[in-house]
């Protein structure tokens, strides 16, 4: 399922993005390339430094090579699923925040709720995606 696209769902870009080295990094993992491209573009417009992967295996390579703040991943990825990827990500980077998404919302939402991981049901509004990533980062930041 694709995100709901509308000119009204786009978030406003951050006024003064931080210098590149200080921006939060998000890894978007989506096997449907157009959805991954749209999510990446919107998150970049919101001020994030974004990396993309089309599979869990590709995402693990990225996670081994660089630090990210948020892993935003689809659950249904074809091979290894988003839950397995989340476990691998946490073993590689224990402080990474995880946000899972799927079109199988009823089943996946319950599974995510049990382990305490934020879940965004597809189709989602792009503003909801940015807000979910923002919340994941704020939850991870010590107060």
């Amino acid at each position: 399922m694709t995100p709901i696209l509308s000119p009204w769902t786009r978030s406003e870009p951050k006024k003064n993005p931080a210098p590149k080295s200080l921006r939060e990094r998000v890894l978007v993992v989506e096997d449907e390339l157009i959805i991954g491209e749209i999510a990446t573009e919107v998150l970049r417009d919101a001020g994030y430094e974004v990396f993309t992967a089309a599979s869990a295996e590709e995402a693990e390579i990225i996670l081994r090579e660089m630090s990210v703040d948020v892993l935003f991943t689809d659950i249904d990825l074809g091979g290894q699923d988003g839950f397995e990827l989340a476990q691998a990500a946490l073993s590689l980077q224990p402080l990474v925040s995880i946000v899972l998404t799927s079109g199988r919302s009823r089943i996946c939402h319950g599974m995510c709720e049990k382990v305490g991981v934020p879940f965004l049901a597809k189709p989602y509004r792009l503003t909801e995606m940015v807000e979910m990533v923002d919340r994941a980062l704020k939850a991870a930041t010590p107060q």
Side-chain angles (χ1 to χ4, degrees), residues 2-121:
T2 58
I4 300 170
L5 300 177
S6 162
W8 298 280
T9 61
R10 281 222 162 162
S11 62
E12 289 295 317
K14 292 183 180 177
K15 301 294 182 214
N16 295 317
K20 189 171 189 169
S21 62
L22 299 178
R23 292 190 307 183
E24 288 96 353
R25 292 176 162 187
V26 179
L27 173 56
V28 174
V29 186
E30 177 60 67
D31 60 341
E32 293 185 48
L33 297 181
I34 190 72
I35 296 173
E37 288 177 23
I38 292 167
T40 296
E41 181 182 331
V42 170
L43 288 166
R44 280 189 181 137
D45 288 348
Y48 294 104
E49 185 174 359
V50 184
F51 303 93
T52 59
S55 68
E57 294 77 14
E58 186 180 345
E60 283 188 47
I61 292 168
I62 293 169
L63 289 165
R64 282 188 188 98
E65 294 178 0
M66 65 185 57
S67 174
V68 297
D69 300 295
V70 177
L71 171 66
F72 181 80
T73 184
D74 190 10
I75 293 173
D76 301 314
L77 293 170
Q80 185 180 3
D81 70 24
F83 289 113
E84 294 167 318
L85 174 59
Q87 287 178 326
L90 288 168
S91 70
L92 292 167
Q93 299 185 30
L95 299 178
V96 69
S97 295
I98 310 287
V99 177
L100 296 168
T101 185
S102 177
R104 298 184 311 153
S105 60
R106 186 172 298 161
I107 295 167
C108 295
H109 185 267
M111 293 170 72
C112 290
E113 200 170 57
K114 284 181 185 177
V115 294
V117 175
F119 176 77
L120 185 60

